[in-house]
Amino acid sequence: MILQNYLFTLLLLFACSVAGKHFRFDYDYNGYVGGWFKLHLIPATWHDAWLRCDLEGVSLARMPVKWAPGEPDNFNNGEDCIVLTNGTIADVNCSEIFPYMCFKKNTKDIIMTTCGTVDKEYKLESLTGNCYKFHRIGKPWKRAFMTCAAEGSYLAVINSPQEALLLKNIYDANHSKIRPGTSKDVINIGMHDWNEHGVWRTIHGLTIEEAGYADWAQGQPDNSSGQFCGAMFRNSKLDDFWCHASAPFICEKSLDSLLEL
């Protein structure tokens, strides 16, 4: 316990020492425009690109450009989105996929927290040495997974009964604030049966038994009408849940996940 507290203190001091000097190591700063850029090479539709940038806490890059010859032409009355090519822009169908760039303008209020992020909703917990954020707006499991990844974290993985209790306490503290229209009975967490129908693994690849926590609620998992995604009841017991159904979720991150060490 003494060693654990010592390591936790060192991590805390390290996180404080980098405050105010970074945004994210995967973004490059450009002094001419006064902000950070990130090029996403994996192509996406305009909507998915906008969503990914938004989840990273930034926006799709905007810049002064001119139209390519003959553009915009709104071909077949179906081109409502814009792409940059060879220094000029053209209108395209929003379902087409392209690489994209996200941008974050440098402002005076960008402060790196002890969690190694500018997102102040992540709170450091001494029990695990990791940070956690409760998302009150419910999302399907895959979208929750994407949201955590964009924030430099991951859907919370339970590694012990003590961590399960920690998540329960976070759940309890936010239960009354969950947005209407989403399930309040469970939260999405980082486990899935990967369509193996009963072989439950964490998003890190371990079985939940290997990870350290496999305490199912009574009668669970019951695979009711195809419940293949992992969730947790408010009493900290595990549940299998519909992947398409929206539920609140908790993201977990290490202190250095957005820092270049």
Side-chain angles (χ1 to χ4, degrees), residues 163-194:
E163 188 171 14
L165 181 59
L166 171 62
L167 296 191
K168 176 188 182 302
N169 292 337
I170 295 173
Y171 190 0
D172 286 341
N174 288 275
H175 189 263
S176 63
K177 304 173 186 176
I178 296 172
R179 293 289 183 88
T182 187
S183 172
K184 292 188 176 184
D185 298 328
V186 297
I187 56 172
N188 283 317
I189 60 172
M191 68 178 198
H192 197 292
D193 82 345
W194 308 106

Side-chain angles (χ1 to χ4, degrees), residues 76 96 105 113 120 132 142 146 155 157 173 179 186 257:
N76 285 337
E96 295 185 54
K105 185 174 179 59
T113 71
K120 298 178 182 178
Y132 300 85
K142 288 184 179 178
M146 174 184 174
L155 265 177
V157 173
R179 293 289 183 88
V186 297
S257 61

Side-chain angles (χ1 to χ4, degrees), residues 47-63:
H47 176 269
D48 286 348
W50 175 89
L51 178 61
R52 178 71 189 208
C53 291
D54 184 66
L55 291 175
E56 291 186 3
V58 299
S59 61
L60 273 174
R62 294 171 291 179
M63 60 196 75

Side-chain angles (χ1 to χ4, degrees), residues 127-175:
L127 176 68
T128 62
N130 283 343
C131 299
Y132 300 85
K133 175 182 176 179
F134 191 94
H135 283 263
R136 304 176 187 92
I137 300 176
K139 294 184 179 183
W141 192 92
K142 288 184 179 178
R143 190 63 81 188
F145 177 93
M146 174 184 174
T147 299
C148 293
E151 292 179 352
S153 59
Y154 51 87
L155 265 177
V157 173
I158 305 177
N159 297 115
S160 68
Q162 293 76 22
E163 188 171 14
L165 181 59
L166 171 62
L167 296 191
K168 176 188 182 302
N169 292 337
I170 295 173
Y171 190 0
D172 286 341
N174 288 275
H175 189 263

Side-chain angles (χ1 to χ4, degrees), residues 11 14 23 35 42 48 98 128 135 172 207 210 218 221 225 250:
L11 288 171
F14 171 78
F23 172 53
I42 299 176
D48 286 348
F98 298 93
T128 62
H135 283 263
D172 286 341
T207 66
E210 291 170 338
Q218 185 175 1
S225 303
I250 295 177

Side-chain angles (χ1 to χ4, degrees), residues 14 33-34 36 44-45 67 83 97 101 105 111 119 135 152 160 174 187 194 209 217-218 240 254:
F14 171 78
V33 297
W36 291 269
T45 64
W67 290 100
V83 295
I97 61 173
M101 186 173 291
K105 185 174 179 59
I111 299 175
D119 189 338
H135 283 263
S160 68
N174 288 275
I187 56 172
W194 308 106
E209 291 80 10
Q218 185 175 1
D240 55 342
S254 62

